[in-house]
């Protein structure tokens, strides 16, 4: 039984690492977008919007420990920001490479050239889905164990 409990503790530590790593990556990405996208000539309003989404998402992911519902919101915002980044990258490849006419061709180029980047995108999507599920599980457990309202 003790071995089983050690595995549960290891899973909990791994979950904390995933949550804090995703929050840190989103926080860093949120703050750096103010200058990077604006400096390259893209929409500054879009950069500010993405920075806001990622910053709010990172704080909501950390606030999960006080309110699991905020963790769910943070995970969904994290998933949204990763998907928007992915679509923006496909759009950038389509517009910057001269012989590409569709998003499917830009996806093929991205998988051929940036396969390491694709791996990271899938890891970020998996981490966001994990955080949503973990926060939802905690939210349901709190709802079940709360005293019945009078």
């Amino acid at each position: 039984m003790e071995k089983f409990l050690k595995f549960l503790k290891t899973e909990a530590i791994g979950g904390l690492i995933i949550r804090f790593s995703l929050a840190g990556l989103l926080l860093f990405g949120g703050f750096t977008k103010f200058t990077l996208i604006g400096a390259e000539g893209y929409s500054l309003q879009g950069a500010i919007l993405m920075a806001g989404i990622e910053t709010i998402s990172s704080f909501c992911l950390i606030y999960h420990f006080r309110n699991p519902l905020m963790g769910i919101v943070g995970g969904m915002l994290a998933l949204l920001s990763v998907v928007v980044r992915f679509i923006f990258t496909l759009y950038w490849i389509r517009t910057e490479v001269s012989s590409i006419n569709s998003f499917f061709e830009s996806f093929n180029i991205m998988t051929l050239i940036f396969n390491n980047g694709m791996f990271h995108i899938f890891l970020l999507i998996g981490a966001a889905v994990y955080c949503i599920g973990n926060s939802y599980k905690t939210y349901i457990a709190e709802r079940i164990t709360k005293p019945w309202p009078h």
Side-chain angles (χ1 to χ4, degrees):
M1 185 65 166
E2 249 179 71
K3 281 186 177 183
F4 181 71
L5 292 176
K6 285 182 184 179
F7 287 127
L8 288 178
K9 190 173 187 176
T10 304
E11 180 188 6
I13 292 170
L16 288 174
I17 291 171
I18 289 172
R19 182 173 296 277
F20 284 115
S21 297
L22 181 61
L25 283 170
L26 289 170
L27 191 62
F28 175 74
F31 285 131
T32 58
K33 264 191 202 45
F34 280 117
T35 58
L36 290 179
I37 293 178
E40 292 181 7
Y42 291 102
S43 169
L44 186 61
Q45 292 85 9
I48 292 171
L49 178 66
M50 281 304 297
I53 289 173
E54 290 179 350
T55 305
I56 290 170
S57 172
S58 64
F59 286 127
C60 286
L61 284 171
I62 300 300
Y63 201 70
H64 150 85
F65 299 106
R66 291 250 185 200
N67 184 357
L69 199 56
M70 293 299 286
I72 295 170
V73 170
M76 288 183 181
L77 287 174
L79 190 61
L80 174 73
S81 69
V82 171
V83 169
V84 167
R85 275 187 181 198
F86 177 67
I87 291 170
F88 176 78
T89 304
L90 289 177
Y91 175 76
W92 181 83
I93 291 173
R94 195 190 85 174
T95 58
E96 294 298 320
V97 179
S98 61
S99 64
I100 296 178
N101 297 326
S102 69
F103 281 109
F104 183 71
E105 289 178 25
S106 61
F107 180 75
N108 284 337
I109 295 292
M110 190 170 178
T111 55
L112 291 174
I113 297 173
F114 303 115
N115 59 358
N116 195 18
M118 292 294 293
F119 178 71
H120 288 101
I121 288 170
F122 290 133
L123 280 177
L124 289 174
I125 289 172
V129 169
Y130 169 81
C131 289
I132 292 170
N134 185 274
S135 295
Y136 186 70
K137 181 179 77 171
T138 305
Y139 174 72
I140 295 298
E142 280 186 5
R143 293 288 303 227
I144 290 173
T145 58
K146 273 187 178 178
W148 192 262
H150 297 280

